[in-house]
Amino acid sequence: MASEYDAWVGAGSMLADGTFEELVGEVEGQKVCAVACGQGREARYLASRGAAVTGVELSEELVALAKQYEDADQLGISYLQGDAHTLEGLDSESFDGVVCYMALMDIPDLDRAVQSAARVLRPGGWFVFVITHPCFKAPATGDLVDHTNQSVRRTVGRYFEEGYWDGPGLHNDALPVGAYHRTLSTYVAALTRAGLVIDELREPQQFDRQPVWQEVPQLLYVRCHRGN
């Protein structure tokens, strides 16, 4: 599946995600850890902006692909095969920033993953993550089309049923689409328990996707920092 995923998300170093770029901000000269980095897409973006990047990914195949990209275009990125639950091998308080792009909802134990991200951050360090929006990507969702005015509405059900489910919407048929649904308050509580303070939330409209994502947000962006 690693090669299919690589072909799906693309090889480019730029994420073409303006909201993510704004929340991350200037990273030149900073040490940044990309958690669950896949084939290194966001790691390459951060390195292209001058960050010293360490990417951590559970899949050995995806790590191998990331290293191939690094060999072809050397940006100084270090890649480790490892578990987001522990970030074993990374020193505590050793990074200025941590990112987790479109992966936190795929990780089974939210508390352990968030606490590990907080552990490797220096006091005051920042954590930016992007997830499918838990309020609108619940286990039972659908779209209603009002043909009278050609509007689209999102329906949501089973919001309070947390746990693994088989995944949302349109996807690449070769890839698994399961995820762990959690309520918004569960995410906030996990951040608080880890000593992370929310600085900003973003819920952008997406005009390049299905019409319903102009009505409700598909993704949730969060920037927080580790308290002293």
Side-chain angles (χ1 to χ4, degrees), residues 1-220:
M1 296 177 188
S3 60
E4 295 285 347
Y5 177 77
D6 181 42
W8 185 38
V9 302
S13 64
M14 297 300 291
L15 286 171
D17 185 334
T19 304
F20 176 77
E21 294 175 11
E22 289 175 10
L23 285 185
V24 168
E26 294 297 327
V27 295
E28 185 172 1
Q30 295 189 32
K31 289 184 62 179
V32 182
C33 180
V35 175
C37 67
Q39 44 80 290
R41 181 176 59 165
E42 60 268 28
R44 289 189 292 278
Y45 164 72
L46 294 163
S48 75
R49 298 294 299 272
V53 182
T54 298
V56 180
E57 167 58 43
L58 186 63
S59 165
E60 293 182 9
E61 293 82 2
L62 287 173
V63 170
L65 284 170
K67 288 181 176 179
Q68 289 177 22
Y69 284 118
E70 176 63 17
D71 290 340
D73 182 15
Q74 296 186 6
L75 297 169
I77 304 170
S78 297
Y79 289 105
L80 301 175
Q81 192 274 326
D83 191 339
H85 289 129
T86 62
L87 297 181
E88 185 177 356
L90 299 182
D91 292 335
S92 298
E93 300 186 2
S94 57
F95 289 93
D96 301 297
V98 172
V99 301
C100 188
Y101 188 85
M102 293 298 293
L104 199 56
M105 68 282 184
D106 300 326
I107 297 172
D109 193 323
L110 177 65
D111 271 303
R112 290 180 67 202
V114 170
Q115 288 165 10
S116 290
R119 176 184 66 78
V120 301
L121 280 175
R122 63 170 177 77
W126 54 269
F127 177 37
V128 170
F129 65 90
V130 185
I131 55 174
T132 52
H133 202 302
C135 297
F136 302 104
K137 287 277 191 174
T141 58
D143 299 337
L144 292 177
V145 179
D146 185 340
H147 295 285
T148 303
N149 56 17
Q150 298 302 308
S151 64
V152 182
R153 300 170 185 168
R154 187 72 167 172
T155 63
V156 177
R158 297 169 55 196
Y159 174 71
F160 296 105
E161 294 183 21
E162 297 192 324
Y164 184 83
W165 64 298
D166 285 336
L170 298 175
H171 59 279
N172 185 311
D173 289 337
L175 300 173
V177 292
Y180 292 87
H181 172 65
R182 297 141 181 147
T183 65
L184 180 59
S185 59
T186 292
Y187 279 103
V188 173
L191 295 173
T192 300
R193 284 191 292 269
L196 295 167
V197 180
I198 294 175
D199 299 313
E200 189 169 359
L201 302 176
R202 298 277 190 95
E203 300 170 297
Q205 285 180 295
Q206 293 185 313
F207 294 94
D208 59 339
R209 303 290 180 89
Q210 301 109 290
V212 72
W213 304 125
Q214 299 177 33
E215 303 297 325
V216 296
Q218 183 182 26
L219 303 178
L220 177 65

